Amino acid sequence: MAVFVAALLVTSAGVATAGVAADSPSNVSITDSVTVTVTSVTDGDTVDVEYQNGSTDTVRLLGVDTPEVNGENTPSEYEGVPDTQAGSECLASAGDDASQYTTSALAGETVTLKFDSEADRRGDYGRLLAYVYADGENVNRDLVETGNARVYDSAFSKSETFYDAEADAQDAGDGLWTCQSPDDGGDGETDAVSIDWVYAEADALNDERVKLTNDGDSAVDMSGFVLSDAADHEYAFPDGFTLDPGASVWVHSGSGTDDADDRYAAFGSEVWNDDGDTATLTDADGDTVDERSY
């Protein structure tokens, strides 16, 4: 009879699991939670756990992606990170930081796993997909909020709050988002103005924006500078607009009141393609100041 019962226990992937105890995720509903102990941390978003009956599993933290520590990183997966050797090396360092963060938060701790009705129970590699709560805090979201992870583009019910936390971390330049820094500094010339990043995956028109930064030592007169995309949508900076050293300006796709920090292109619709585009900044003479593809 025990063998027959075990054969009826089926994972979310439809694979029979023998000897699974009552506290395993195969036996709980999508709205239930499970108490486990974290036995080891693979990297920032993957941990090994032990159930109360002694069985084990591997958990992939749902909705987040931290930079790789055991393989190569792809900078284009991280909004605004340059697809260069410097970008890859920066992400590798950020991956180490994320692993340390997760280790400090979870290693050896008894935590709660919670599941999401809008997400798969297991991922492509058979890992359990779950939110991990430690001392009542959602560690998945904490990773995003601190800049240790990006939001993984997938279906899950908390995605909106996760994307909000990601935007705040990007704006603050926290964690891995320090990797968005321009490749080169400046000497006060116009080429000190760089396109830091393009935020294309926005929920609202004014959230779609481009960040330009003056990394030089002197103010840059940007009169007549033009920011454009690959489809020739253009925003021209007005006469007299100056960007101080160390300052940044955001060019939003929507409409609003211009000031020193925010400019509004009034495109009327989103122009920066989510699946890739090229931002180009030219000066008043039409010479390219900076260009960034993603």
Side-chain angles (χ1 to χ4, degrees):
M1 177 62 70
V3 173
F4 176 73
V5 172
L8 293 178
L9 300 179
V10 180
T11 68
S12 61
V15 180
T17 304
V20 178
D23 65 347
S24 88
S26 296
N27 272 358
V28 297
S29 73
I30 199 73
T31 58
D32 285 335
S33 60
V34 181
T35 299
V36 299
T37 298
V38 177
T39 56
S40 65
V41 175
T42 302
D43 55 25
D45 56 35
T46 308
V47 299
D48 292 320
V49 302
E50 182 177 301
Y51 298 105
Q52 293 178 336
N53 74 322
S55 61
T56 60
D57 212 337
T58 298
V59 176
R60 177 68 160 77
L61 275 67
L62 177 63
V64 303
D65 181 40
T66 61
E68 298 293 334
V69 294
N70 300 311
E72 292 295 322
N73 284 289
T74 304
S76 60
E77 294 179 348
Y78 297 85
E79 191 81 44
V81 176
D83 193 9
T84 61
Q85 182 65 29
S88 296
E89 291 174 355
C90 183
L91 287 173
S93 178
D96 289 334
D97 291 341
S99 294
Q100 183 174 349
Y101 183 93
T102 300
T103 299
S104 298
L106 298 180
E109 298 294 326
T110 298
V111 301
T112 300
L113 304 183
K114 294 186 179 182
F115 309 103
D116 194 313
S117 61
E118 295 184 15
D120 293 332
R121 182 61 66 91
R122 291 189 181 272
D124 294 338
Y125 300 101
R127 297 174 298 187
L128 189 65
L129 302 177
Y131 301 113
V132 179
Y133 285 82
D135 296 325
E137 294 293 323
N138 186 322
V139 177
N140 306 47
R141 188 182 187 281
D142 289 347
L143 281 163
V144 176
E145 192 171 46
T146 55
N148 282 294
R150 72 180 179 100
V151 180
Y152 188 75
D153 187 17
S154 58
F156 61 105
S157 63
K158 297 182 185 295
S159 61
E160 183 174 351
T161 61
F162 276 42
Y163 278 117
D164 287 344
E166 181 185 69
D168 289 342
Q170 288 175 326
D171 288 349
D174 290 337
L176 69 89
W177 304 116
T178 61
C179 299
Q180 293 178 329
S181 298
D183 300 338
D184 302 306
D187 55 6
E189 302 300 324
T190 58
D191 60 4
V193 180
S194 299
I195 303 169
D196 273 4
W197 60 281
V198 179
Y199 186 52
E201 297 178 2
D203 295 326
L205 185 56
N206 273 337
D207 286 340
E208 186 183 75
R209 60 203 188 275
V210 179
K211 181 182 180 183
L212 308 177
T213 299
N214 179 3
D215 262 358
D217 299 322
S218 304
V220 174
D221 181 0
M222 294 182 63
S223 300
F225 277 43
V226 174
L227 176 67
S228 62
D229 69 350
D232 294 327
H233 296 97
E234 296 183 346
Y235 169 74
F237 284 87
D239 289 345
F241 182 83
T242 299
L243 191 61
D244 290 332
S248 297
V249 60
W250 303 88
V251 179
H252 303 262
S253 294
S255 300
T257 302
D258 292 334
D259 58 27
D261 301 316
D262 296 278
R263 313 299 297 184
Y264 296 88
F267 289 134
S269 62
E270 295 183 4
V271 301
W272 301 104
N273 296 324
D274 292 352
D275 57 356
D277 208 331
T278 298
T280 303
L281 181 68
T282 56
D283 62 20
D285 296 325
D287 296 325
T288 299
V289 174
D290 195 22
E291 189 171 82
R292 181 175 295 283
S293 296
Y294 63 92

